[in-house]
Amino acid sequence: MNIDQSLDVKTDTLLDRAVLYTAVFLFTMTIVLVSIQVVLRYVPIQFPWGYLTEPLSRYTLIIGTYFGAAAAARNNEHISMYFVLERLGRSHPLVHAILQLFVSIIVLAFLLIATGASVFAATNNWGANFGGTYIVTVGEMMLLISIGLALYFLYSLVNLRDSVRSLNEQLRGDNRTE
């Protein structure tokens, strides 16, 4: 069994590239901010914004995770039991298609609730300062999380469409063989 370990990411549209590049930028900024933070702890240099590296690295990691999840959903590379799904797809393709549809519906329901909650949190906490930083407010951070979740929801809708098509193909295929 060969598992695809390549980083061959689909970038079909401008939106796909924007989501992917945003996730990469946010993760790169997390690495840069953490590196600065480590250097400032061990090197006696006074940096006027040094105290912001810890919370900003945390926030960029959190927001980057949601954009990364959207990019993974776009490429259908979210967490799954690949070995089980591959065997199930070979031995029982109809059950596999039904399971994929069920998972897509569950993911969409969760994302709908999470996106609604994050939008609610963003509107209710727009001006609230976050952990001693006055650069970013809770509302602004929640807005960015909401955007990441909304993109994840959008790509999950595409996966739902593909799951419905797969199930439809399996049902048509099963009816023809009888």
Side-chain angles (χ1 to χ4, degrees):
M1 174 180 69
N2 292 331
I3 297 176
D4 183 19
Q5 294 292 325
S6 69
L7 293 175
D8 186 22
V9 180
K10 297 177 188 173
T11 52
D12 296 336
T13 66
L14 181 62
L15 177 65
D16 299 334
R17 285 190 291 275
V19 170
L20 181 63
Y21 294 153
T22 301
V24 168
F25 172 76
L26 289 169
F27 287 128
T28 303
M29 287 306 301
T30 301
I31 292 169
V32 168
L33 288 168
V34 169
S35 299
I36 291 171
Q37 180 183 0
V38 169
V39 168
L40 290 177
R41 286 185 181 182
Y42 294 106
V43 177
I45 298 173
Q46 291 296 333
F47 186 64
W49 297 95
Y51 69 96
L52 292 176
T53 58
E54 191 273 328
L56 288 179
S57 64
R58 187 175 4 155
Y59 306 151
T60 55
L61 178 64
I62 292 168
I63 295 166
T65 300
Y66 288 103
F67 278 87
R74 166 63 179 100
N75 297 309
N76 206 15
E77 294 176 347
H78 51 79
I79 297 172
S80 64
M81 295 182 173
Y82 182 78
F83 179 73
V84 173
L85 291 175
E86 180 186 18
R87 285 186 174 226
L88 186 63
R90 279 189 272 144
S91 60
H92 305 294
L94 179 61
V95 174
H96 179 263
I98 291 170
L99 180 63
Q100 290 294 93
L101 180 63
F102 179 71
V103 167
S104 294
I105 291 169
I106 296 286
V107 167
L108 281 170
F110 169 77
L111 289 172
L112 188 63
I113 293 168
T115 305
S118 64
V119 168
F120 180 77
T123 56
N124 285 343
N125 299 301
W126 188 255
N129 290 329
F130 209 65
T133 62
Y134 301 101
I135 294 176
V136 179
T137 67
V138 175
E140 293 166 345
M141 183 177 157
M142 293 307 295
L143 175 65
L144 292 171
I145 289 172
S146 299
I147 293 169
L149 283 168
L151 290 167
Y152 192 173
F153 184 82
L154 175 71
Y155 289 132
S156 294
L157 280 174
V158 173
N159 290 339
L160 176 68
R161 180 200 65 197
D162 294 342
S163 296
V164 169
R165 285 182 179 169
S166 176
L167 180 59
N168 189 24
E169 289 172 5
Q170 289 302 317
L171 290 174
R172 286 185 180 178
D174 287 347
N175 290 339
R176 288 182 197 156
T177 58
E178 291 180 352

